[in-house]
Amino acid sequence: MGILIVDSPASAGHPVPPDYPEHPGRYAAVRQALEPLAGCEWVESRPAERHELERFHTAGHVERVLSACAAAQEGRWEALDPDTHVQQSSVQAGLHAAGAALKAVDCVVTAEPRQA
């Protein structure tokens, strides 16, 4: 039984302010650690659609996040709160992260028994 890993290069496209604990280097380190493992099947994520996001978040919250990403000027962050900062490229990273979770669940439910 293999392990499905749903991934997207968009994950590396979510820059954060300097010295912030979450950063693209963490994504690269996890990917580098997982790549040599035997028995893993890598598939690319898909972006989640708005209606899928709204199954888990209010429409107002989804709009707020998407609008903040769109409003961010090149190379600058928009703060959603004191701990959450986004840029224009953050929207693709976020949509693919949510889409990866949805795709992983769909694959586990509809395919041969496996882990994702």
Side-chain angles (χ1 to χ4, degrees):
M1 176 165 58
I3 296 174
L4 181 70
I5 299 177
V6 186
D7 181 43
S8 172
S11 298
H14 173 58
V16 294
D19 300 323
Y20 192 75
E22 184 62 51
H23 56 82
R26 291 178 71 183
Y27 164 76
V30 169
R31 184 175 172 91
Q32 185 177 12
L34 292 175
E35 283 178 337
L37 296 178
C40 294
E41 178 186 348
W42 290 78
V43 296
E44 186 148 340
S45 67
R46 63 170 180 82
E49 296 181 25
R50 187 180 189 119
H51 74 274
E52 293 172 316
L53 298 173
E54 290 176 356
R55 291 176 61 199
F56 303 96
H57 300 287
T58 66
H61 178 71
V62 171
E63 180 60 34
R64 182 172 167 254
V65 173
L66 295 176
S67 294
C69 291
Q73 294 182 17
E74 187 70 32
R76 302 186 64 92
W77 290 275
E78 287 287 323
L80 295 173
D81 58 44
D83 194 43
T84 309
H85 300 82
V86 295
Q87 288 190 350
Q88 288 179 354
S89 60
S90 299
V91 71
Q92 286 303 311
L95 291 175
H96 276 271
L102 294 168
K103 187 169 184 170
V105 169
D106 287 345
C107 288
V108 168
V109 169
T110 61
E112 65 194 52
R114 65 168 125 193
Q115 300 170 337

